[in-house]
Amino acid sequence: MHLRNVALALRSLTAIHSSNKPAIAFAFHPKQHQHRRMTLHSTAVEPSLTSATSTHANPLLRSWSTEPFHLPPFKSIEPRHFEPAFEIAMDAHLKDLESIANSKQEDFESILAAYDRAGATLSKVYSVYGNYVSSLNTPEMQLVQTKMAPLLSRHTSKTYNVPGLFEKISKMNEVRDDMVKSGEWTEEMGRLAERVYIKFVRMGALLGEEEKKEYADIQAELATLQTNFMQNVLKDEEEWELILTAADFEGCPPDIIAAARKAAIDRNKTQEDAHVITLGRSMVEPFLSYSTRRDLRQKVFEAFAKRGELNPERDNKKIAIEILRLRKRQAELHGKKTFAEYQLEDTMAQTPEAANKLLMDVWTKSKVAADKEREMMEAFLKESGECLESGIQPWDWRFYAEKVRLANFNFDENEMKPYFSLDAVTDAVFDVSNKLYGLKYVKRPDIVAYHPDVNVYEVRHDTADGEEELVAIFLHDNYARPYKSSGAWMSEYRTQTKNLIPGSDPIESIPIVSNNNNFAKGSDDTLLSFDDGVTLFHEMGHGHHGMLSDCTYEYLASTSVLKDFVELPSQLMEHWLSEPEVLKKHAKHHKTGEILPDELIKKFKAAELFNEGFATIEYTSCALFDIAIHSLTEYSDDFDMAKFEEDYLKEMGMPQGIIMRHRPPHFLHFFASSSYAAGYYVYMWAQVLDNDVFAAFKETGDVFDKDTAERCRKLIYSAGNTVAPQDLFRQFRGRDPEVKFMLENRGLI
Ligand SMILES: [Zn+2]
């Protein structure tokens, strides 16, 4: 099994452009790197699978061939189906692996190609499970997750310890260079041998028997703790609410008020005129930006910043420390001093020092920018004769930033919103996708997924001989709702592969890709902020990574690239939304159809970089903190997470009025899975790459330049992990990445 980043996708954070940068999103935490796909399965068909027929009582185990495009049979799936399906599928997976280990054959096909196909049933069950615990995590599903997390972890450990298997994998790794050189293997086959070997080693295959046992225990315990951590955040987000009336929304634009009213109805508030503020970022940030009520802003901000510790009975700080201790021990078993060292070893950056160096460069420059922004806000206060008790606090920053934006640039973000309906932005992203990569999206309203909000599309392109061909199935789940994780992410129900189990329907090689966002649903049209639009483009970038994947082996396909490359495809896509060519065509007023006026575009461009210092500090402080806390060599019994956070930020000179975008008690990237732990820096790392790649388009004078787009498709979106990422970049750009494009685009130089 490999782990695929599944979820991946998180939107990152930080964003890049724009004003209030959204956040990031994470979401998928858990899964990530979990790979979703487990690999395995080879030609051996175990008895449990032969019974997988179209009439199997458990819809997760039956053949999905009667569903359109072999999608999961969503309407039949219930939480109770997961546990028994996992039991059978995990067993089948181990049998697949055992048959590889016991096979007399020693060739690539019998070992690595079979390894890549192994565990097909488990991959299917897991893909649905992973998507349900993020998008439909009802109380019943949460119980399933609590039960399954350690069992799945145990299973993963077992798959790396099947007797005789690692020896075979090692042999493949030893001969790979010679086989590739002699032409018997393709480059991709060589890469598969290398990556599978590295994965086994990183999962402890070289450890002694006692240590292996300890390693598996650590993984299982981490899985449970990480699940608890994530569920605690979800519970805080579900439970907390602030009931207001329309009169309490002074200063707020109508769409926020409408969204709060809708939230009140959804939560069955019967009081007349009830409006509810929830802890979703798409509601909190606009409220903080526009509410004139400082007392209410403070209340909402404090609750938002304390997610994960709002209820003392489920305080995530304690769980986080336990997680840190276990990770430290995990690293020690690998002979590393810290988890950061272990985690960074298999990345482009390779060491915590290299990641820190980039972050510190950005940190120093962004502090200067943030200080300047605060000075502008203070000047505004002085001029307007306002006096803020205790100065600009974190619940004031967004509010006064908007005031300055309006006063100094005559730009009000709200003027943009009517031009950014969800429909308009969706049309825009599909059009950009078509112009760059030739993809066409055909809506299939007749196909119902796991929730009525989810739109299903066939994604097609033209072949060389002019025929239309199916490339992928795309699921778009855009609205916030109860039991859906906050944030935004991409995931897959099926990953692209050409290495199908013999006899499979060819449709099984076509990826099924999903994008989740969390936009507050409007009562008629849903209007997005510019940042929401950036988030939607971001996730579509991950979506392209899945849909355009063109690899032979699933293990290397799609988003299964090194961590600090994975945000390149997504962040790159963000650039097109602010291109005038795209705005002029798609940013249409949702009521009148009027095109976004030039004047507004001009003002938007002028104001775009204002508050970039704030956004960069919010993100970079998290990324630095992440490496710092995972670089400790001890977490003593009296280790105090809150104090560490406070001391660290003080030492770093955190600008007054800003806090970390995600604080440790709800930092899902750190603690809901291990995949982004000591890895939050990847967004910044990838920003260096995406700004450099986008500059290549700009240099041609046409952001849709055909030749550049084709090389981008081939090297960035289709190659998966078949080639080392630094080599892909060099092939694209003819040189190593340069930091200056990112610094320029963020206005930091
Ligand atoms: Zn992302």
Side-chain angles (χ1 to χ4, degrees), residues 338-385:
T338 68
F339 184 74
E341 229 180 273
Y342 164 72
Q343 194 74 330
L344 273 287
E345 187 182 42
D346 190 33
T347 61
M348 289 177 82
Q350 297 191 327
T351 63
E353 292 73 30
N356 251 336
K357 184 165 170 290
L358 170 67
L359 293 171
M360 282 307 293
D361 186 19
V362 173
W363 177 249
T364 315
K365 293 183 169 79
S366 55
K367 274 207 287 190
V368 176
D371 285 344
K372 211 186 281 168
E373 287 156 10
R374 190 185 327 91
E375 281 159 23
M376 288 168 84
M377 293 191 271
E378 283 162 356
F380 171 86
L381 281 164
K382 205 163 165 200
E383 237 165 74
S384 54

Side-chain angles (χ1 to χ4, degrees), residues 65-359:
S65 57
T66 52
E67 301 292 322
F69 309 109
H70 296 201
L71 278 156
F74 291 113
K75 53 179 184 307
S76 319
I77 296 171
E78 294 171 29
R80 67 184 171 89
H81 293 131
F82 286 100
E83 197 186 335
F86 269 129
E87 211 172 292
I88 289 171
M90 289 192 291
D91 195 45
H93 186 199
L94 287 175
K95 288 204 175 102
D96 285 347
L97 295 178
E98 283 158 9
S99 82
I100 297 170
N102 298 332
S103 157
K104 298 269 176 291
Q105 312 285 79
E106 302 262 311
D107 56 294
F108 183 94
E109 171 59 31
S110 312
I111 300 174
L112 286 171
Y115 183 78
D116 182 62
R117 290 187 299 260
T121 304
L122 184 52
S123 284
K124 288 169 74 179
V125 177
Y126 189 85
S127 75
V128 181
Y129 168 81
N131 280 288
Y132 274 47
V133 298
S134 293
S135 302
L136 216 58
N137 203 3
T138 58
E140 304 82 69
M141 212 42 226
Q142 291 179 37
L143 289 177
V144 172
Q145 190 190 11
T146 301
K147 175 127 198 230
M148 286 316 306
L151 298 179
L152 287 166
S153 168
R154 291 278 174 203
H155 173 73
T156 302
S157 297
K158 276 188 208 159
T159 63
Y160 290 100
N161 288 292
V162 171
L165 185 58
F166 180 57
E167 287 67 23
K168 292 212 158 160
I169 300 291
S170 297
K171 267 186 213 155
M172 292 278 105
N173 185 52
E174 275 161 30
V175 302
R176 77 183 148 85
D177 281 348
D178 290 342
M179 297 302 267
V180 172
K181 249 181 239 148
S182 70
E184 278 189 63
W185 288 9
T186 61
E187 296 273 346
E188 184 176 346
M189 291 160 80
R191 180 80 177 164
L192 182 65
E194 180 187 13
R195 293 308 305 171
V196 173
Y197 175 80
I198 289 175
K199 184 72 201 175
F200 268 77
V201 171
R202 287 182 62 77
M203 291 302 290
L206 294 174
L207 301 179
E209 283 316 304
E210 275 302 298
E211 290 174 319
K212 276 186 183 167
K213 202 178 152 295
E214 184 185 358
Y215 202 83
D217 289 344
I218 289 174
Q219 297 299 323
E221 228 175 301
L222 277 172
T224 297
L225 289 168
Q226 289 168 169
T227 300
N228 294 345
F229 186 96
M230 176 195 170
Q231 292 187 352
N232 286 344
V233 176
L234 192 64
K235 280 185 192 128
D236 276 0
E237 289 178 351
E238 275 160 26
E239 280 177 15
W240 192 90
E241 61 190 19
L242 179 63
I243 305 177
L244 303 171
T245 64
D248 296 318
F249 284 79
E250 202 187 312
C252 293
D255 60 293
I256 304 174
I257 305 173
R261 176 65 190 143
K262 178 151 191 319
I265 294 166
D266 288 348
R267 291 186 174 216
N268 300 318
K269 302 299 165 207
T270 49
Q271 304 93 313
E272 201 181 316
D273 196 28
H275 287 65
V276 165
I277 299 286
T278 66
L279 289 184
R281 192 177 280 272
S282 69
M283 187 170 272
V284 169
E285 287 196 344
F287 189 79
L288 294 175
S289 300
Y290 298 108
S291 168
T292 56
R293 290 276 302 275
R294 194 180 192 212
D295 60 325
L296 293 179
R297 290 202 311 264
Q298 179 172 357
K299 209 176 215 176
V300 171
F301 181 87
E302 287 180 345
F304 190 63
K306 282 184 160 295
R307 283 169 298 143
E309 54 181 346
L310 284 171
N311 182 332
E313 300 206 339
R314 36 170 212 251
D315 185 346
N316 267 346
K317 292 197 288 297
K318 289 196 198 95
I319 297 179
I321 295 168
E322 275 312 303
I323 291 174
L324 289 166
R325 283 194 189 115
L326 289 166
R327 287 178 181 160
K328 163 80 192 352
R329 179 64 189 144
Q330 178 189 352
E332 276 172 4
L333 288 168
H334 282 291
K336 305 286 182 208
K337 279 200 288 298
T338 68
F339 184 74
E341 229 180 273
Y342 164 72
Q343 194 74 330
L344 273 287
E345 187 182 42
D346 190 33
T347 61
M348 289 177 82
Q350 297 191 327
T351 63
E353 292 73 30
N356 251 336
K357 184 165 170 290
L358 170 67
L359 293 171

Side-chain angles (χ1 to χ4, degrees), residues 8-12 538-539 542 567 570 683:
L8 226 240
L10 318 172
R11 180 234 192 316
S12 88
H538 178 103
E539 297 311 335
H542 285 303
E567 296 298 328
S570 52
Y683 296 98

